[in-house]
Amino acid sequence: IGVSPTYHRPFFGCIKEAFKNFWSDATVIFRTLKELIAPSASIREVGASNLSGFVGIFGMVKQTISNGFGPYLGLLALLSVNIGIMNLLPIPALDGGRLVFLGYEAITKKKAPKKFETILNNVMMILLLLLFVYVTYNDILRLFR
């Protein structure tokens, strides 16, 4: 298919490199989250309008694939790490929120009230869906600019 490596590494060298790349991607994601939540005065480059949803990601994939197969795989890896980290954030309605409730149950030896858990999950799901709509709207506007 026309794909050939430009360098050779031993098997365990590849494993080490994969963990280094994972750590690098995770660090970038956490730094970006920090800037979204509490922007520093010196950077101020990251805001909610800079987020991308599936429309923006499609554009990035289209642009990256024209650079070759390696950069494309790198973007796919970054997206996978990003989705995994976002899913484990302690936000109700995501897996991380469920882990918080399980941790609460393990510490207190009693379940959180079902009604409270349901309301909190529903409110957060609505907020996440509103964020999804906002991000998609911004992506579509960027297409026409």
Side-chain angles (χ1 to χ4, degrees), residues 42-108:
S42 61
I43 297 179
R44 290 255 182 228
E45 293 176 5
V46 179
S49 61
N50 300 113
L51 299 175
S52 286
F54 65 91
V55 175
I57 291 171
F58 175 77
M60 281 186 262
V61 168
K62 195 169 125 182
Q63 180 182 1
T64 304
I65 207 158
S66 67
N67 295 333
F69 194 65
Y72 172 68
L73 287 179
L75 178 65
L76 287 181
L78 176 66
L79 290 174
S80 296
V81 171
N82 193 348
I83 290 170
I85 289 173
M86 293 298 153
N87 196 36
L88 287 176
L89 290 176
I91 298 173
L94 299 177
D95 290 338
R98 185 72 197 130
L99 290 175
V100 169
F101 282 117
L102 290 174
Y104 170 81
E105 186 178 326
I107 292 170
T108 62

